[in-house]
Amino acid sequence: MFENLAQLKTPRARRVFAFSATTLLILELVLLGLLEHFSDSIPDPYFSVIKEVLVHLTGASITAMFLVGLLVYLLPAEEKLKSVEIFSPSQTKALHDSALLTSDFWYHHGHIGRWVRTTAMPALARISVEKGIITTIKLILLNPRNSKLCELYAEYRNQISFKENTLKTIEDVQAELLATIITGQKFDQGANGLGVHIFLEDQLSLVREDISATAVFRTQVNPRCPSIVYRKLDHDTSEFYNAAKTNFDFAARCCTRLIPEAKFPDGQLTIDKIKAYLAHVGLLVHEDHDFLKSVMTRVQSDYHPYT
């Protein structure tokens, strides 16, 4: 009936076992009753043998039910993880956007942070100002000074068939990273309602994590891959959600934090201001005009990567 005892952990297997065992025991008891009722019409040698066999079968069934019942009791019942869900890529955008409406913080552990830059920061800033609160944003991004790391990320992106892949070179990756950093620093100052903390890491993972007040979103660089969501539920222990937040804090401690005191110059965004700021924080990886212009273009872009 069961290929292995581990199957008895599932509620369905336990119900099947209980029904089958109970039915078998009732059948044996009925046969014993019928045997006694028709005992006068059954020759003595056959009656004794049949009765002895049925008695032994009934006793064996009761013993087996007791032993297996005890084993089932000792095996923990398998429970469905209500806090973990899997969604198709087409649902990713709506899930992220809806989470922005109910969160007073946002943690992102990823690569270039483009979605956080173009969508999350403006949305959270608007909501924070409306509510009169400060929303904390923490970003763990690739280190733009690490050329080998940026090259590795660009190579992997080029291996994937994107609808629109704008990250073909090391410079493209570095420009995206610097655009996210500058945008974060601009939102971190003034009356934007955001407190932005940026950390730079020197290792690459193909998995991204976005953590809000209600869920953890695990997505991949490959847009065709489904997303995994760890919900924070009041009626659930939410081990995966809590572990993800703790893991983020540990990862941030192992990174280089961007100088929080270094503020981006106020006023209109210009290439000179970008160059001066990057030089001040030690992130001026390229000084040529075209590269700095591409950084400024990305800062001003509202491109949504999930559309």
Side-chain angles (χ1 to χ4, degrees), residues 5 8 14 66-76:
L5 291 176
L8 288 175
R14 295 186 178 205
F66 173 78
L67 293 177
V68 178
L70 180 62
L71 181 62
V72 169
Y73 173 78
L74 295 175
L75 285 174

Side-chain angles (χ1 to χ4, degrees), residues 106-114 116 121 136-144 149 153 177 180-181 196-205 207-211 244-258:
W106 197 277
Y107 298 167
H108 173 81
H109 187 179
H111 308 111
I112 58 175
R114 180 164 54 184
V116 179
M121 287 186 190
T136 299
I137 296 179
K138 293 184 179 181
L139 307 177
I140 298 180
L141 307 172
L142 301 181
N143 188 347
L149 186 67
Y153 182 66
L177 286 165
T180 300
I181 291 170
V196 183
H197 310 272
I198 300 176
F199 305 86
L200 306 177
E201 69 173 350
D202 291 291
Q203 60 182 4
L204 175 64
S205 171
V207 177
R208 292 182 295 248
E209 279 194 346
D210 286 277
I211 306 176
K245 286 191 67 177
T246 302
N247 183 68
F248 183 94
D249 292 335
F250 287 161
R253 294 181 188 180
C254 298
C255 297
T256 302
R257 183 176 180 183
L258 194 68

Side-chain angles (χ1 to χ4, degrees), residues 121 139 179-189 196 198:
M121 287 186 190
L139 307 177
T180 300
I181 291 170
I182 291 172
T183 302
Q185 290 296 76
K186 287 173 62 65
F187 271 109
D188 187 49
Q189 56 202 57
V196 183
I198 300 176

Side-chain angles (χ1 to χ4, degrees), residues 10-288:
T10 64
R12 181 177 180 276
R14 295 186 178 205
R15 289 194 296 269
V16 170
F17 167 74
F19 175 79
S20 302
T22 303
T23 302
L24 180 60
L25 181 59
I26 292 174
L27 179 61
E28 291 170 346
L29 292 175
V30 169
L31 289 175
L32 275 175
L34 291 174
L35 183 64
E36 290 293 339
H37 181 73
F38 296 103
S39 59
D40 294 338
S41 59
I42 301 175
D44 183 57
Y46 298 106
F47 175 79
S48 300
V49 173
I50 296 174
K51 182 177 182 180
E52 184 176 359
V53 171
L54 286 176
V55 169
H56 281 84
L57 284 175
T58 304
S61 297
I62 295 174
T63 302
M65 289 181 63
F66 173 78
L67 293 177
V68 178
L70 180 62
L71 181 62
V72 169
Y73 173 78
L74 295 175
L75 285 174
E78 186 179 80
E79 297 181 4
K80 183 179 179 181
L81 292 174
K82 299 178 182 179
S83 61
V84 181
E85 299 175 85
I86 299 178
F87 293 92
S88 65
S90 60
Q91 296 173 296
T92 300
K93 179 181 182 297
L95 289 170
H96 280 70
D97 291 345
S98 62
L100 293 173
L101 303 175
T102 58
S103 187
D104 57 355
F105 70 87
W106 197 277
Y107 298 167
H108 173 81
H109 187 179
H111 308 111
I112 58 175
R114 180 164 54 184
W115 175 82
V116 179
R117 178 183 82 232
T118 61
T119 302
M121 287 186 190
L124 290 172
R126 183 181 65 256
I127 295 171
S128 298
V129 171
E130 291 174 355
K131 294 182 177 180
I133 62 174
I134 299 295
T135 298
T136 299
I137 296 179
K138 293 184 179 181
L139 307 177
I140 298 180
L141 307 172
L142 301 181
N143 188 347
R145 292 184 292 249
N146 192 327
S147 298
K148 185 63 178 178
L149 186 67
C150 294
E151 180 183 19
L152 183 63
Y153 182 66
E155 287 179 359
Y156 181 73
R157 297 270 306 200
N158 288 325
Q159 294 173 10
I160 303 172
S161 298
F162 279 91
K163 177 182 178 182
E164 180 183 351
N165 182 21
T166 59
L167 302 178
K168 299 182 180 299
T169 66
I170 299 175
E171 290 75 18
D172 291 336
V173 175
Q174 291 172 323
E176 286 287 352
L177 286 165
L178 296 177
T180 300
I181 291 170
I182 291 172
T183 302
Q185 290 296 76
K186 287 173 62 65
F187 271 109
D188 187 49
Q189 56 202 57
N192 293 308
L194 300 182
V196 183
H197 310 272
I198 300 176
F199 305 86
L200 306 177
E201 69 173 350
D202 291 291
Q203 60 182 4
L204 175 64
S205 171
L206 300 183
V207 177
R208 292 182 295 248
E209 279 194 346
D210 286 277
I211 306 176
S212 71
T214 57
V216 176
F217 303 93
R218 287 178 62 87
T219 56
Q220 298 187 45
V221 178
N222 190 338
R224 295 185 297 271
C225 294
S227 61
I228 299 177
V229 178
Y230 304 152
R231 301 282 189 185
K232 182 182 180 183
L233 305 176
D234 294 335
H235 61 278
D236 192 86
T237 53
S238 302
E239 290 95 344
F240 287 101
Y241 176 87
N242 297 329
K245 286 191 67 177
T246 302
N247 183 68
F248 183 94
D249 292 335
F250 287 161
R253 294 181 188 180
C254 298
C255 297
T256 302
R257 183 176 180 183
L258 194 68
I259 304 173
E261 294 79 13
K263 302 299 182 183
F264 194 85
D266 294 329
Q268 184 179 359
L269 182 67
T270 64
I271 291 179
D272 289 337
K273 288 181 180 180
I274 290 176
K275 184 176 182 180
Y277 170 76
L278 294 178
H280 179 58
V281 297
L283 293 177
L284 188 60
V285 293
H286 299 288
E287 296 188 39
D288 59 277

